[in-house]
Amino acid sequence: MSDAEFPDAWYLILSSRLIPDLDGGYTISTLARARQMTDAGAAPLLLTVDPGAVDAHAIHRATFVERGAAAASEVFRNLFDEAVAPAGGAADWLREAAHDGRPDPALEYRDVAGGTVSLPIVVDPDWHLTTAPIVVRDTTGEPVGIVDGFGALYRAWLTHLASELRAENDRPIVVICESRQLGELIVGWGDDRVRILHTVHTIHLEPPYREDSDLNALWRRWFEISPRFDAVLWPTAHQRADVRDRFGDAANDLVAPHAVPVPDVVVPSAERDAGRVVVLGRLAPGKRLDHAVRAFAHAAADITGARLELWGEGAQRGALEALVEQLDLTDSVALPGLTTDPGAVLDRAAVYLTTSAFEGQGLALAEALAHGTPVVAYDIRYGPRDMLAGGGGILVPDGDEDALAGALRRVSTDAALRERLSREAREAATTLSPARAMRTLAAACREALGRERRR
């Protein structure tokens, strides 16, 4: 067996939801992992548990396939789509999971899955941990029983799905869990032939995001259970080192960055617009795009044809437009909205700029490296330090807008520097290649399947 060959098993990628243009890099990287595993021969299924309508799920899947983000609509499975029997009412697996009981009279409920399931409305950050009754109904809408909370519901579906897959081919199952909330709910799943690998997409710290900062409250419980997963996949060595310094290395943890493909042909630096600076991502407070606008304003006078493009959508659009107008930058700063072709944006740019306060890895930065686009970035947790360790950009102290402006000025006005950084960027991107990512993931699966489950 080669390093990149996956063991003979069923592979399930478990996500809370997958909706086009929602959840930023999370959705992109989760779908990318599935495509890369498919290309490597593992053929995973993509499982979701969002209670949207069947028609909405079909539209989402078709959009992903049309964009090339998914191989086929058939690779997707959704719990609530499968909660309904062909003739209506609850599916057999859901009826079997239900027991006698009634709704909680203190809670409001909402009907999903065509009225087959009634979910309790729990207003709490830890809503997913509730054991409040979930009501299961027949074709007439009458209750046939209850399930004790979301965890019991999700595990019942996974147990049914595992049985269905094994009836087709009796082999072990590897679940790649992409969601912290789902990880908390399935860590106790008592199937000896299932291994759970848990990925990480984001930072675990509160502001100011230092190694000794408080843990994000949503992560405290997860760290208590993390040694029970068969592997934990951290996107950067920096984050894993911080976690090990704080919690030790009891977990079977490894560094497994989200991968990006490197184009066969890259636009040479000389053919790009030397004054074009681009940002890709949500227009959200954590991205600190006001820093990007102000730093660009300080540097623009020294850059011929200076132009800043903030690609994305989000809650900060209005505030950013007001800032651009206040600084009299309406002719040189644009907010073009979303793009479904980030590669084309990067291929035109002289510089990729990132001003985030925190990241999990920074998928857009990785894409910039793959396209040979020099990077200017704050040195934050997590991502830029790891990805630029071999060159490809300039790191500046976190929050230092003057240093940010200086780095923009240097790269935008020095053709030789841009050429060197572009070459380094391509080299740096090889560490994030799908081939390397799949070797790492296949090895983790082999190791997990080669011993008893940790749960």
Side-chain angles (χ1 to χ4, degrees):
M1 180 181 291
S2 70
D3 289 346
E5 187 175 346
F6 283 81
D8 186 30
W10 290 106
Y11 291 92
L12 310 178
I13 295 180
L14 179 62
S15 172
S16 51
R17 63 187 182 189
L18 293 168
I19 299 175
D21 305 322
L22 193 66
D23 301 319
Y26 171 87
T27 300
I28 295 169
S29 59
T30 298
L31 290 168
R33 196 190 320 273
R35 281 303 304 261
Q36 291 156 13
M37 290 180 68
T38 298
D39 292 343
L45 295 174
L46 278 159
L47 312 183
T48 58
V49 296
D50 74 284
V54 173
D55 290 347
H57 291 151
I59 292 170
H60 299 160
R61 296 165 186 176
T63 300
F64 288 136
V65 172
E66 181 182 351
R67 293 179 180 178
S73 293
E74 290 72 24
V75 304
F76 294 90
R77 305 278 293 267
N78 175 267
L79 183 157
F80 292 97
D81 290 356
E82 300 186 5
V84 184
D92 288 345
W93 68 266
L94 185 52
R95 286 174 174 268
E96 292 168 5
H99 63 83
D100 289 340
R102 300 185 62 79
D104 185 335
L107 294 174
E108 294 184 14
Y109 280 76
R110 63 170 176 145
D111 293 339
V112 299
T116 295
V117 179
S118 295
L119 299 178
I121 299 173
V122 181
V123 183
D124 188 299
D126 293 327
W127 61 268
H128 60 294
L129 298 176
T130 184
T131 56
I134 292 173
V135 183
V136 179
R137 302 183 184 278
D138 64 17
T139 54
T140 68
E142 288 299 310
V144 297
I146 63 169
V147 176
D148 298 323
F150 294 96
L153 177 65
Y154 297 168
R155 291 190 295 271
W157 180 52
L158 290 172
T159 298
H160 158 71
L161 186 56
S163 177
E164 177 187 295
L165 294 174
R166 286 171 178 151
E168 181 180 337
N169 188 329
D170 189 17
R171 55 187 180 180
I173 293 172
V174 176
V175 177
I176 299 173
C177 184
E178 304 276 6
S179 162
R180 175 194 54 77
Q181 291 175 333
L182 292 175
E184 292 181 27
L185 295 178
I186 70 169
V187 70
W189 186 18
D191 189 321
D192 283 335
R193 298 185 64 207
V194 170
R195 300 294 180 268
I196 301 175
L197 279 59
H198 202 299
T199 69
V200 176
H201 287 261
T202 190
I203 194 169
H204 60 282
L205 301 168
E206 290 283 8
Y209 311 113
R210 309 299 184 203
E211 66 273 13
D212 57 352
S213 292
D214 289 341
L215 282 180
N216 182 297
L218 299 177
W219 283 90
R220 291 173 187 161
R221 188 173 44 251
W222 185 89
F223 275 105
E224 294 176 2
I225 64 171
S226 61
R228 299 173 62 193
F229 295 113
D230 295 290
V232 174
L233 280 57
W234 297 101
T236 67
H238 190 186
Q239 188 172 17
R240 184 180 71 166
D242 278 355
V243 169
R244 284 186 168 187
D245 287 345
R246 194 163 188 166
F247 296 101
D249 57 359
N252 176 28
D253 59 350
L254 63 150
V255 178
H258 303 296
V260 295
V262 178
D264 294 331
V265 178
V266 169
V267 177
S269 293
E271 297 179 16
R272 300 177 184 228
D273 184 345
R276 190 185 300 266
V277 179
V278 301
V279 177
L280 289 164
R282 290 176 294 114
L283 308 184
K287 302 300 183 179
R288 296 188 298 190
L289 297 174
D290 55 326
H291 291 222
V293 173
R294 288 192 296 267
F296 174 81
H298 293 153
D302 299 319
I303 301 171
T304 302
R307 179 173 178 80
L308 173 65
E309 297 174 349
L310 306 175
W311 289 85
E313 286 292 353
Q316 294 295 103
R317 170 175 280 277
L320 290 167
E321 289 174 337
L323 179 60
V324 168
E325 186 170 352
Q326 175 190 334
L327 297 176
D328 196 23
L329 295 172
T330 53
D331 291 336
S332 57
V333 177
L335 287 83
L338 293 170
T339 177
T340 58
D341 192 356
V345 173
L346 291 165
D347 285 342
R348 295 193 300 269
V351 183
Y352 173 75
L353 174 63
T354 176
T355 51
S356 292
F358 62 89
E359 291 284 358
Q361 175 184 330
L363 191 62
L365 193 159
E367 289 181 308
L369 295 177
H371 284 263
T373 307
V375 173
V376 172
Y378 278 148
D379 186 7
I380 60 162
R381 283 176 166 79
Y382 294 98
R385 185 185 304 180
D386 293 77
M387 289 188 281
L388 297 178
I394 297 177
L395 281 179
V396 302
D398 183 21
D400 189 336
E401 292 182 22
D402 289 338
L404 200 68
L408 281 177
R409 192 178 292 111
R410 283 181 57 201
V411 179
S412 297
T413 59
D414 188 334
L417 176 61
R418 288 198 305 278
E419 176 62 33
R420 174 172 66 80
L421 292 177
S422 181
R423 289 196 305 270
E424 292 174 354
R426 291 273 286 173
E427 293 170 5
T430 62
T431 66
L432 304 169
S433 70
R436 178 172 290 197
M438 290 303 100
R439 286 196 295 271
T440 299
L441 184 55
C445 294
R446 280 197 300 275
E447 197 278 338
L449 289 169
R451 55 168 167 75
E452 293 185 355
R453 66 181 173 94
R454 288 176 174 263
R455 304 184 310 289

